[in-house]
Amino acid sequence: MPEPSDIVHALTPYQWQPMVTLVCGLVFLLYLRGLGRGGGPGFWRNTAFFVGLGLMYGVSQTQFDYFSQYVFFIHRIQHLALHHVAAMLLVLANPLPVLAQGAPAWLRDNLITPVWRSGPVRGAYGAVQQPVVAAFLFVGLIYLWLTPSIHFDAMLSGWLYSIMNWSMALDGLLFWWLVLNPYPPDPAQHRIGYGKRCIVVAVVAFPQIVLGAYIFFYGTGVYEYYEVCGSPWPIDTDTDRMLGGLITWIPSAMMSVLGLLIVLSQMFRQEKREAERMGRDAAASGSTA
């Protein structure tokens, strides 16, 4: 059994990043405040939110972050959590209505809403929510941060390492919101149709498979940082690299499969709602004839 002191140490930030703590803490408190005002979204959405937010915080602000800076496959698990799993869970929770309900009126009316409705913000959001741009960014950021020279510099630089992790988390949220948001298609709100969602989520799988396979089979000596810094575990650098390649290859692709299944489920539910609505309209028209 681990000692209480060991548990406390494991949950203590390796390198405290105040902005991560502030953002996660603020979102957590606003969500609790929104729930306290009634109209909660239900058990499964609440669970998805708390697990997703906890996972984002856990891989960034606990001792897990220490191992992710010295072990390549742990680093790949960290980015899988930030870019795929936690981001998907938060999107599936659809926490925005609860967060809006929990935000103080003065903050919502005087800051959040005006900023969101401003031209530059709406323009930037519309640009990154274009399917081609969203898919390019989603895959491109993975390739960018795994480019050996860039990866080497990012792992040695505190501020670049922070930018890398923030970019993965934010891009993951934007991408999964594009393909998994629970609302019906609406071009005015940058919500694409279900067919395009399926294509986008499927397209991003193949480049990740290629990259993961390349790292697994041909990446010997590519990620020299982990040879230079040394590992806290007795693990061979080639084994570490191969495990990192497998994580980039298989779980990432499986997340696309899961995303595709979720989109299809949303499409079928929307079609069922439309059919029921048309049935009610037809019944109402018949009763008034």
Side-chain angles (χ1 to χ4, degrees), residues 141-155:
L141 280 175
I142 300 173
Y143 273 73
L144 172 69
W145 294 119
L146 286 178
T147 300
S149 59
I150 296 175
H151 187 80
F152 191 94
D153 292 339
M155 299 304 290

Side-chain angles (χ1 to χ4, degrees), residues 17-165:
Q17 301 178 58
M19 187 58 67
V20 175
T21 303
L22 176 63
V23 171
C24 290
L26 182 60
V27 170
F28 179 77
L29 292 175
L30 288 178
Y31 194 86
L32 288 182
R33 191 168 187 258
L35 290 179
R37 293 186 168 188
F43 174 78
W44 289 113
R45 280 177 54 191
N46 283 334
T47 300
F49 172 80
F50 289 120
V51 172
L53 186 65
L55 187 57
M56 278 205 171
Y57 182 86
V59 299
S60 304
Q61 286 293 274
T62 67
Q63 290 299 307
F64 187 95
D65 187 46
Y66 165 76
F67 294 105
S68 72
Q69 294 189 41
Y70 291 94
V71 183
F72 180 62
F73 85 87
I74 299 295
H75 166 77
R76 297 309 306 140
I77 293 175
Q78 181 189 49
H79 278 196
L80 178 69
L82 292 173
H83 201 220
H84 290 69
V85 182
M88 178 184 281
L89 287 171
L90 288 171
V91 167
L92 292 175
N94 188 22
L96 295 180
V98 180
L99 292 172
Q101 194 167 325
W106 63 267
L107 179 65
R108 185 174 58 247
D109 298 338
N110 297 320
L111 180 61
I112 298 176
T113 300
V115 170
W116 173 245
R117 290 179 177 175
S118 65
V121 172
R122 295 296 295 173
Y125 176 74
V128 298
Q129 290 298 86
Q130 294 295 321
V132 174
V133 175
F136 176 80
L137 287 175
F138 189 78
V139 173
L141 280 175
I142 300 173
Y143 273 73
L144 172 69
W145 294 119
L146 286 178
T147 300
S149 59
I150 296 175
H151 187 80
F152 191 94
D153 292 339
M155 299 304 290
L156 287 176
S157 169
W159 68 270
L160 195 56
Y161 178 80
S162 180
I163 289 175
M164 175 177 64
N165 287 346

Side-chain angles (χ1 to χ4, degrees), residues 253-271:
M254 292 305 297
M255 292 298 294
S256 284
V257 174
L258 178 59
L260 182 61
L261 293 175
I262 294 172
V263 173
L264 292 174
S265 175
Q266 291 175 337
M267 181 179 66
F268 292 144
R269 287 199 299 269
Q270 179 63 25
E271 290 178 349

